[in-house]
Amino acid sequence: LLGGVKAATHKSAAQLFTGTATHNQSVVEESSRKVTPPSTRQMWLIVLMHFLVGISNNIPGVANRRYLLEDLRVSPATQAMIGVLTGMAWNLKILIAFSSDSFPIFGQRRKPYLSAGVVIQSVSWLCLGVLEPTIGTASAFMCTAVLGQVIVGVMCDTLVVENMQHEEGSRIGELQSNCWIGLSLGTLVGQLSGGWIMQYLNVSNRDMFQINSGVKMLLMGVVLLIVDPKTQPLAVREMVGSVRERALEVWKAMQEHRVFKPVIFIFIFAMCPSNHDAFVSYLLGDPSK
């Protein structure tokens, strides 16, 4: 529960920064291109993507915990250290959102980054399932898997922010609500199916990682169908000016009470010790005994 609260708190702060950066980008490009309202197909593709993200992020949960205790046989202290290393990627959310707004790839700001995040996750989980388990390789590929998850999460947030700007009247907030419903349902399906597959189909931990790698690639089909309007390429001088402008906007936002006070609270809250690793060892057995 504490881990869920921390994840939700980090995500809320990142959505605030992501929404700020995306709003600034919309203002800059408003005079250069006409923005058309997204289609119903686009809306449901975004919801479907959140549903698949919920499944793929949670389906290896049981296998991951058993992998640390049964295959690697690490102590709770080592589990905590691996958790610290993998958790560092969540601090890059603002940088990823900033890069997506400032440095489009092939004229697009969302789909290339979204595709890269999916591929990074899929390759990382595949390597965890194929390579021999060692603490070094497991820590490295878990870090890259979380990095891919962060990239996908940020791009999902930006797509929601960009497409919900056209909602009016009673439909305001409809896309965001549907996405959270899809994500919650996907989380439930992923958590339950991850445990059931291992228990009733006798799937090993590493085989579960390979299955999750395939599930991750299902996202690519949805990513390819999502519409991401192309932008005009910027010269080097214009790009530098754009980066400087966005950096000043982010700094200005950080100086607001509604931003820096929650940041201080999140920092203090994240420093609080968690009993998650000790509790998992208690449930599954301490490998040191």
Side-chain angles (χ1 to χ4, degrees):
L1 178 59
L2 182 57
V5 172
K6 288 184 179 179
T9 310
H10 282 296
K11 188 167 185 177
S12 299
Q15 284 178 327
L16 176 59
F17 289 124
T18 303
T20 302
T22 306
H23 174 71
N24 294 334
Q25 178 61 32
S26 301
V27 173
V28 171
E29 295 185 353
E30 186 175 357
S31 59
S32 60
R33 64 185 179 93
K34 182 179 180 181
V35 180
T36 56
S39 62
T40 303
R41 174 175 171 269
Q42 171 87 342
M43 295 293 198
W44 285 110
L45 283 174
I46 296 175
V47 175
L48 176 60
M49 183 172 62
H50 279 77
F51 176 72
L52 293 176
V53 166
I55 293 177
S56 61
N57 285 349
N58 292 276
I59 198 171
V62 175
N64 192 34
R65 291 190 292 269
R66 297 179 67 92
Y67 176 78
L68 292 174
L69 291 175
E70 297 176 355
D71 295 358
L72 296 180
R73 300 189 63 82
V74 296
S75 64
T78 306
Q79 293 180 51
M81 182 58 66
I82 295 175
V84 169
L85 294 175
T86 57
M88 292 178 65
W90 291 100
N91 298 319
L92 302 176
K93 295 192 75 170
I94 180 62
L95 179 61
I96 295 170
F98 186 86
S99 301
S100 175
D101 282 341
S102 303
F103 305 105
I105 300 176
F106 301 116
Q108 293 181 308
R109 302 183 184 278
R110 311 306 175 203
K111 289 178 68 173
Y113 288 91
L114 190 57
S115 301
V118 171
V119 172
I120 290 173
Q121 287 187 89
S122 181
V123 172
S124 299
W125 286 110
L126 180 61
C127 291
L128 283 171
V130 173
L131 299 179
E132 288 297 322
T134 63
I135 295 179
T137 56
S139 300
F141 287 116
M142 284 181 181
C143 287
T144 55
V146 173
L147 176 61
Q149 180 181 345
V150 172
I151 296 174
V152 172
V154 171
M155 293 303 103
C156 288
D157 292 340
T158 58
L159 287 172
V160 172
V161 172
E162 287 180 339
N163 288 273
M164 70 182 293
Q165 294 178 358
H166 305 280
E167 296 177 338
E168 298 178 352
S170 60
R171 301 195 63 181
I172 294 178
E174 180 179 356
L175 176 61
Q176 188 176 28
S177 299
N178 290 337
C179 287
W180 276 104
I181 292 173
L183 183 64
S184 300
L185 290 177
T187 299
L188 180 62
V189 172
Q191 289 177 342
L192 293 177
S193 59
W196 288 341
I197 290 174
M198 295 190 66
Q199 180 174 353
Y200 297 110
L201 299 182
N202 295 322
V203 175
S204 66
N205 300 324
R206 294 167 63 186
D207 289 341
M208 198 67 196
F209 293 159
Q210 297 180 45
I211 293 175
N212 188 47
S213 176
V215 174
K216 292 290 184 184
M217 292 308 298
L218 291 178
L219 281 169
M220 287 300 299
V222 180
V223 172
L224 295 176
L225 295 175
I226 288 178
V227 177
D228 184 16
K230 289 194 173 183
T231 60
Q232 295 295 331
L234 298 177
V236 176
R237 180 175 298 180
E238 294 176 341
M239 185 175 298
V240 172
S242 176
V243 171
R244 183 183 296 110
E245 180 181 355
R246 284 170 177 76
L248 292 175
E249 290 290 340
V250 171
W251 175 248
K252 183 179 179 180
M254 282 294 297
Q255 293 176 324
E256 296 184 9
H257 291 279
R258 63 174 182 172
V259 176
F260 81 81
K261 287 185 177 181
V263 169
I264 295 175
F265 170 78
I266 292 172
F267 177 78
I268 297 175
F269 186 83
M271 292 176 62
C272 297
S274 171
N275 64 344
H276 176 265
D277 299 315
F279 189 64
V280 170
S281 298
Y282 170 77
L283 291 177
L284 301 181
D286 191 342
S288 62
K289 296 181 179 181

